[in-house]
Amino acid sequence: KKRLSSNKFKVFIYSAEQLNDNNATRLAQFASDLQHFLRLQTPFPDFETLPKSNSNKDIYPEYMDICDVKYDRLRITLLKNGKIASD
């Protein structure tokens, strides 16, 4: 039987796409929420003006695109396990 375990740590979950949101209002709200979560006194600069890290197209042997057809079985298994764990 599954059960929830509480912990004292707070988690801020976001998607990387939120850093480049085209909706200015939503992007400003995201930046404000993150700033408050991290208890920063200085607001974040405009994310678009910051240099991008890990934005090159280099492929490393360890790299895998989970959406690639060759990983279909693995992706299905991971999704199934995630669903089970979340229930």
Side-chain angles (χ1 to χ4, degrees), residues 12 20-21:
F12 188 90
N20 298 325
D21 197 331

Side-chain angles (χ1 to χ4, degrees), residues 38-54:
L38 296 173
R39 297 181 181 175
L40 301 175
Q41 294 186 12
T42 306
F44 284 101
D46 179 2
F47 292 128
E48 285 297 313
T49 64
L50 299 175
K52 307 287 189 262
S53 64
N54 297 329

Side-chain angles (χ1 to χ4, degrees), residues 64 66-84:
M64 65 183 271
I66 194 65
C67 296
D68 200 337
V69 173
K70 67 182 178 181
Y71 298 115
D72 280 354
R73 289 181 58 208
L74 174 60
R75 186 176 58 255
I76 290 166
T77 302
L78 290 171
L79 289 169
K80 190 184 311 179
N81 289 345
K83 173 74 172 120
I84 292 168

